[in-house]
Amino acid sequence: MSFPGGLNYAEKGGKEKGLPVTAIRHAPGRRVRARLGGSGVIGGSRVTGGSRWAPPHAARKSAPERPMTSFAPAPGPAPAPGNAFKTWFVAARPPLATHRGGRAPVSHSESVIISDRHTTDRPPIRRSPTVAEYTLPDLPYDYGALEPHYSGQIVELHHDKHHAAYKRIFSRLGMSAVTVQASSGAMGGSESIEFIQRSEAGEDWVVTCASCDYRANLEKATSAVDSIDDGAPSELERFATTGLRTIKALAEAFPDFASPQRSIKTLIYYVDDEPVLALLRGDHDLQEQKLLDAAAAAEARPAQPDEIRGLLGADPGSLGAVGVEGLKVLVDLALEGRTNMATGANEDDWHYKGVDISRDIQAEAFVDLREVRTGETCPRDGGTLELWKGIEVGHIFKLGTKYSEAFGAYVQDEDGASHPIIMGSYGIGVERAIAAIVEANSDENGIIWPVSVTPYEVLITVLRADDENTMETAEDLYDQLISAGVDVLLDDRVERPGVKFADAELIGVPYRITVGPRGIESGLLELTTRQDLIKEEVPISDMVAVVVGALESARSGI
């Protein structure tokens, strides 16, 4: 089971659970009385005891309906039976939260949409694996009033400070985010660094070396290419390739001189509406972001068959760049200096052999276009590269003077000379941070919220909510913890202990106090730490002090 910051219908103990996760702490100094079950506040939404929350029909055939056990969904139409279940997760203080001093209205504007995604099917959506919105709030660019920002040294200093600050932020959020080389995309810029949290739910592929600290986004990663002996250059020669339309078919028919390593793959793209030929070795694949970066473009798409024939006079499978004029030709670095290659002749069923890249092809530039594969050789130390998936949670890069010059953003020095401001961009993915935190802090039972970001710090689980003495003890502990400044959630549902314990582990509150008749009779209550599920018995009179001490110790490490 995975917990990517969203909803999971987890079969636990034969019970069906659909528990969205709140993720915004209450405002400092505003403590709310929060309960699980009954009529009242449930995870940031107010519901009545008769409210029920059920998954699609197909998912609930064998499970009985029961009152919603945890966090409520945002208002909206229910999904049609059989469809992927779409849920809005809302983190907010409740519209009418019960404060110790009575009811107090809370503005609806404090609601924050955390996630809007399909829980039964997660398509690989660029930059949005777990949220529909991706807010990247850029911090102020490097043009503050305190220092002259035409100085490259100051920009370097600011870049390094942001880099260090972001590492501290993600560490305090409970993530193990790593920095990787990345592309700045359409904005341009240099020294682009992404902060990536490793997760199979992520949308980015990251390349790392097993023996050194080389790390790069797949859009930026490179690897060492084995050298190939092409022999002495030969004459360019046409040869018939009737019915051969793929690199594989060509290699099988002519293994002596047209293996994938000795063939040229010709791809036609429209890059910012301009046709571009991208040439790679036959056994290599194009990384489209590298094509965009090489062309300094914002958009690219593969050319359609009719467009290709209009440009080169042949269909895919017989394409090449030999003798091509008037079109931009970008050649991958792995082809630089190669001779005796095979490529299409821009006539159906015909190819060339003996192609010399520098002699026969008018390349505008040799650039890195190739996508790295797992198992290839590290460009830094010769180690083995591996690929893994991750969630991008932050991104910083330098912009230079590209935009300041375009918009006329200049400053004057002490001598009156004007200089374009040197800029930098720094952003954190706010919504997706919740998903990344959960991915970094979960086990097979559920979420393990870090104390720094947990919606509630302590969960009081009442085993006998129908027992007056048990409820009095639980509510007394609740009030004492609230007075001590602790965010507390009280589970007073009439439900079996096993269900309550499973729900507690699923929602992941850092500390759980179990209150039952036997514990009260012995004077000892069970305190469970969610991180490692360690249990200890604590005297009732000492419980508040022990919990507060544990929280303070956890916070001191933040």
Side-chain angles (χ1 to χ4, degrees):
M1 159 189 341
S2 66
F3 298 89
L7 181 66
N8 289 274
Y9 288 106
E11 294 294 334
K12 296 171 64 61
K15 289 288 186 178
E16 199 174 318
K17 308 224 174 358
L19 305 180
V21 178
T22 57
I24 304 297
R25 298 263 326 259
H26 298 306
R30 298 190 68 181
R31 304 292 169 181
V32 301
R33 187 174 185 81
R35 293 176 178 269
L36 279 174
S39 175
V41 177
I42 298 184
S45 296
R46 186 169 183 79
V47 301
T48 62
S51 296
R52 295 184 185 275
W53 181 244
H57 294 183
R60 55 183 281 255
K61 287 181 179 178
S62 60
E65 283 189 288
R66 62 187 179 89
M68 180 175 62
T69 57
S70 185
F71 306 119
N83 289 349
F85 190 50
K86 186 177 183 181
T87 303
W88 291 87
F89 302 99
V90 176
R93 290 193 295 276
L96 286 177
T98 305
H99 292 261
R100 290 183 57 80
R103 298 188 184 278
V106 179
S107 169
H108 287 281
S109 64
E110 292 170 330
S111 294
V112 180
I113 295 175
I114 293 176
S115 179
D116 172 24
R117 69 180 185 83
H118 293 281
T119 61
T120 58
D121 183 25
R122 182 185 4 233
I125 302 174
R126 169 79 179 133
R127 291 187 178 274
S128 186
T130 50
V131 294
E133 300 80 19
Y134 183 72
T135 304
L136 189 66
D138 287 322
L139 299 182
Y141 290 133
D142 287 337
Y143 52 69
L146 299 180
E147 298 133 337
H149 279 71
Y150 51 84
S151 166
Q153 291 180 339
I154 292 177
V155 173
E156 286 286 345
L157 177 63
H158 279 229
H159 185 83
D160 293 344
K161 284 184 174 180
H162 278 87
H163 184 278
Y166 275 32
K167 291 180 67 176
R168 291 195 301 271
I169 289 170
F170 295 127
S171 177
R172 293 181 66 184
L173 289 175
M175 298 187 214
S176 53
V178 298
T179 56
V180 304
Q181 299 175 32
S183 167
S184 301
M187 287 188 68
S190 62
E191 295 189 42
S192 178
I193 297 174
E194 287 179 345
F195 295 80
I196 302 288
Q197 173 61 48
R198 189 164 187 159
S199 167
E200 285 301 312
E203 84 289 10
D204 276 356
W205 284 97
V206 175
V207 178
T208 56
C209 178
S211 57
C212 75
D213 61 355
Y214 178 77
R215 297 186 299 269
N217 191 297
L218 185 61
E219 297 174 344
K220 190 73 173 181
T222 61
S223 64
V225 179
D226 295 336
S227 60
I228 298 176
D229 183 9
D230 292 327
S234 58
E235 295 297 321
L236 186 67
E237 180 182 346
R238 271 169 47 106
F239 65 101
T241 54
T242 305
L244 304 180
R245 290 290 184 270
T246 66
I247 296 288
K248 180 180 179 180
L250 187 67
E252 291 175 349
F254 303 96
D256 294 339
F257 59 84
S259 67
Q261 294 82 3
R262 302 190 66 177
S263 295
I264 301 173
K265 181 186 295 183
T266 302
L267 303 175
I268 317 297
Y269 272 73
Y270 274 83
V271 181
D272 281 353
D273 296 326
E274 177 188 2
V276 173
L277 275 64
L279 273 55
L280 298 100
R281 207 171 79 181
D283 57 338
H284 291 164
D285 295 321
L286 174 69
Q287 167 52 245
E288 289 189 5
Q289 185 60 52
K290 289 185 177 182
L291 175 61
L292 287 171
D293 292 344
E299 296 180 349
R301 66 170 179 83
Q304 298 301 307
D306 58 333
E307 294 173 325
I308 293 173
R309 176 164 284 279
L311 290 169
L312 297 180
D315 292 325
S318 299
L319 305 178
V322 173
V324 171
E325 298 179 351
L327 294 175
K328 179 184 290 187
V329 179
L330 298 178
V331 183
D332 182 64
L333 293 172
L335 290 176
E336 190 169 14
R338 296 293 305 276
T339 62
N340 288 328
M341 303 292 287
T343 188
N346 289 330
E347 182 179 347
D348 290 343
D349 299 325
W350 286 90
H351 276 66
Y352 283 117
K353 65 179 180 178
V355 177
D356 185 314
I357 299 292
S358 60
R359 181 192 66 197
D360 301 320
I361 295 176
Q362 297 182 18
E364 177 168 309
F366 289 92
V367 293
D368 180 22
L369 298 175
R370 180 176 60 90
E371 183 168 275
V372 171
R373 297 169 182 166
T374 188
E376 292 184 344
T377 304
C378 175
R380 185 173 296 175
D381 73 343
T384 301
L385 297 177
E386 65 169 335
L387 272 70
W388 48 267
K389 296 182 73 176
I391 302 173
E392 178 191 344
V393 292
H395 197 173
I396 65 175
F397 53 93
K398 299 175 182 177
L399 284 170
T401 60
K402 175 180 179 179
Y403 294 99
S404 56
E405 290 178 347
F407 289 102
Y410 288 74
V411 293
Q412 289 185 331
D413 60 21
E414 60 273 15
D415 298 322
S418 294
H419 303 270
I421 296 169
I422 303 175
M423 299 170 64
S425 179
Y426 315 98
I428 290 178
V430 178
E431 298 95 342
R432 62 180 41 217
I434 303 301
I437 291 168
V438 173
E439 286 293 325
N441 299 274
S442 59
D443 60 18
E444 67 276 8
N445 297 319
I447 301 168
I448 306 172
W449 284 111
V451 169
S452 59
V453 293
T454 182
Y456 297 97
E457 295 163 320
V458 176
L459 169 63
I460 299 176
T461 300
V462 184
L463 298 187
R464 285 285 305 278
D466 57 345
D467 180 74
E468 183 177 351
N469 187 36
T470 301
M471 280 302 303
E472 286 181 357
T473 301
E475 292 190 335
D476 182 57
L477 282 172
Y478 183 97
D479 290 338
Q480 291 184 59
L481 288 167
I482 289 289
S483 297
V486 178
D487 286 325
V488 190
L489 188 62
L490 180 63
D491 184 356
D492 59 353
R493 295 172 295 160
V494 179
E495 186 59 273
R496 292 184 295 107
V499 172
K500 290 190 173 188
F501 293 150
D503 286 349
E505 293 177 14
L506 185 63
I507 64 176
V509 177
Y511 297 96
R512 183 181 82 230
I513 301 172
T514 303
V515 181
R518 291 184 182 179
I520 295 172
E521 183 178 352
S522 66
L524 299 172
L525 299 181
E526 184 179 88
L527 176 64
T528 303
T529 304
R530 177 64 184 91
Q531 175 65 44
D532 42 25
L533 296 178
I534 291 178
K535 299 176 173 61
E536 61 177 309
E537 291 188 334
V538 178
I540 297 175
S541 58
D542 297 339
M543 181 62 76
V544 173
V546 170
V547 169
V548 170
L551 288 170
E552 289 178 348
S553 177
R555 292 171 185 146
S556 67
I558 299 173

